[in-house]
Amino acid sequence: MNMLTIGAFAKTTRLSPKALRLYDELDLLRPARVDPHTGYRYYAVEQLERARLVAWLRRLGMPLARIRTVCALPPTAAAQDIRAYWARVEAETAERRDLAAFLVDHLTTPSRKDPAMSTLELRYAAHSDPGLVRPANQDTAYAGTRLLAVADGYGPAGGPASTAVVEALKVLEEAEEVPAGSVLNLLESAVRDASLAVHDVSAAEEAGTTLTAMLWTGSRLALVHIGDSRAYLLRDGGLFRIIHDHTVVQSMIDEGRLTPEEATTHPQRALLLKSLTGTAPATPDLRLHDAHPADRYLLCSDGLSTVVPEARIRQLLAIAPTPDEAVRALVGAANEAGGPDNVSCVVADVVEAVA
């Protein structure tokens, strides 16, 4: 067996001797031989490929514990795991990018103090329907001057769970002013309270709920999302999905194991990876969106998105004159497609208003 000293191995792999000693202690990259008298480490030439993989994964920022897992996998499975890891990194980076942009704008834009200056406000409507198949409606939809929310409950106490979540968030609606600089922290805290509310109503029965909600600050909308309910933005005629589903099929799409077209008929398409259950805490996605005049936002349960194509959703949103007409047209389209599930929609328009 061809052997390299730790110095030669470090130079070849571009890993420092200090890093190699750490990887030895973590059982990530053991030396092939250790001199029993001097303690000097020697590595086999055959270990170079694994060492290079470790170095590349560290450059990606992957935690050492996950690197150990990846290195133990066959090449195809390792590639899938790396793809899934990077998809999550990109999603988290997008969230931080939005927050950074918000902070820069918040710190550099003067406050609006002229009472005659044009400001923005929301015009909104919400509608929830049991559909044509389900015996009861476990969805909850709400729209107010500051809070927009859709929750889709499941399990024996799914209806009370979705209602409890939205009721817990309504405290944000009642606050006199939502400070823009701390709106995401405020939302995250409210979701923790909402999770406790789910526990209170479903402790004796298995139940949970999704949650997609937006909080209006006067110039921005803060989004909180967990599960597979959806949030869309209609801007300049284009429809954009602004959330990432927390589902098994979405994770398979992220890993390249499934196409979006295949996901629509996958038997596990409704299986959630995250939801509010009132037991184990789940971390929601949090984002900030700058509001533009004429923007139209849609929040909906999967009773709409799984049966009505996005092209049709865009068309209905674009032609409806008011939010109320939009939500009723969307719910009607879901029922025309068979109404297999409860369907809930919230539509909000960003409009200019002169104070």
Side-chain angles (χ1 to χ4, degrees):
M1 179 184 293
N2 294 325
M3 306 291 285
L4 297 173
T5 64
I6 187 172
F9 193 76
K11 185 176 181 180
T12 304
T13 60
R14 297 185 180 180
L15 291 168
S16 68
K18 181 179 179 180
L20 288 172
R21 287 191 287 271
L22 173 62
Y23 300 159
D24 180 10
E25 294 171 4
L26 297 176
D27 198 22
L28 181 60
L29 187 60
R30 292 283 194 182
R33 185 172 72 86
V34 178
D35 188 294
H37 303 293
T38 65
Y40 208 69
R41 294 170 171 84
Y42 294 88
Y43 293 82
V45 172
E46 291 76 11
Q47 292 180 281
L48 287 171
E49 188 61 31
R50 181 184 177 100
R52 292 190 182 105
L53 177 60
V54 171
W56 289 330
L57 294 175
R58 287 299 289 158
R59 288 181 64 188
L60 281 179
M62 184 178 286
L64 290 172
R66 186 157 185 169
I67 290 176
R68 186 188 298 111
T69 300
V70 170
C71 288
L73 295 172
T76 301
Q80 291 175 349
D81 196 86
I82 293 168
R83 186 182 291 114
Y85 168 78
W86 191 247
R88 186 58 200 161
V89 169
E90 287 183 322
E92 291 173 351
T93 300
E95 293 174 11
R96 292 196 297 270
R97 180 193 62 218
D98 291 344
L99 179 56
F102 157 72
L103 290 172
V104 169
D105 186 59
H106 176 65
L107 295 170
T108 57
T109 303
S111 302
R112 292 178 176 175
K113 295 183 178 178
D114 184 353
M117 183 178 292
S118 176
T119 58
L120 300 176
E121 65 181 21
L122 295 181
R123 304 280 171 80
Y124 48 83
H127 186 47
S128 185
D129 188 271
L132 304 179
V133 176
R134 298 292 176 89
N137 192 355
Q138 294 188 310
D139 285 2
T140 301
Y142 174 81
T145 55
R146 287 183 180 149
L147 179 68
L148 314 170
V150 166
D152 181 357
Y154 62 87
S162 70
T163 300
V165 162
V166 174
E167 288 297 322
L169 291 184
K170 283 185 182 179
V171 65
L172 302 176
E173 178 86 303
E174 297 162 3
E176 290 188 5
E177 183 177 352
V178 179
S182 60
V183 65
L184 291 182
N185 292 336
L186 197 64
L187 264 179
E188 190 170 24
S189 176
V191 170
R192 286 196 295 269
D193 293 341
S195 183
L196 294 175
V198 172
H199 179 269
D200 291 342
V201 300
S202 63
E205 299 180 277
E206 183 179 348
T209 182
T210 69
L211 173 66
T212 301
M214 303 190 87
L215 186 63
W216 177 244
T217 70
S219 60
R220 297 174 180 85
L221 281 155
L223 170 69
V224 60
H225 168 70
I226 188 163
D228 64 350
S229 295
R230 293 279 179 86
Y232 294 94
L233 167 62
L234 183 73
R235 176 178 287 174
D236 299 328
L239 185 67
F240 308 94
R241 193 203 306 183
I242 56 175
I243 55 83
H244 196 73
D245 287 343
H246 299 141
T247 60
V248 169
V249 294
Q250 184 61 57
S251 69
M252 295 171 72
I253 292 171
D254 295 341
E255 295 167 9
R257 293 190 287 153
L258 205 65
T259 67
E261 294 73 23
E262 292 169 337
T264 60
T265 57
H266 195 280
Q268 292 182 312
R269 61 186 178 276
L271 188 59
L272 296 173
L273 292 177
K274 280 186 181 182
S275 63
L276 292 174
T277 62
T279 53
T283 304
D285 293 342
L286 295 162
R287 298 188 66 175
L288 281 162
H289 285 268
D290 284 326
H292 296 179
D295 280 352
R296 173 167 279 184
Y297 286 89
L298 164 66
L299 276 59
C300 65
S301 62
D302 67 340
L304 176 72
S305 58
T306 57
V307 296
V308 181
E310 286 192 1
R312 179 61 174 157
I313 292 175
R314 186 204 65 78
Q315 180 187 40
L316 292 172
L317 281 174
I319 64 176
T322 67
D324 183 67
E325 290 170 283
V327 294
R328 296 188 181 279
L330 291 165
V331 170
N335 285 333
E336 287 170 10
D341 196 0
N342 309 148
V343 56
S344 295
C345 297
V346 171
V347 171
D349 291 346
V350 180
V351 299
E352 289 186 342
V354 178

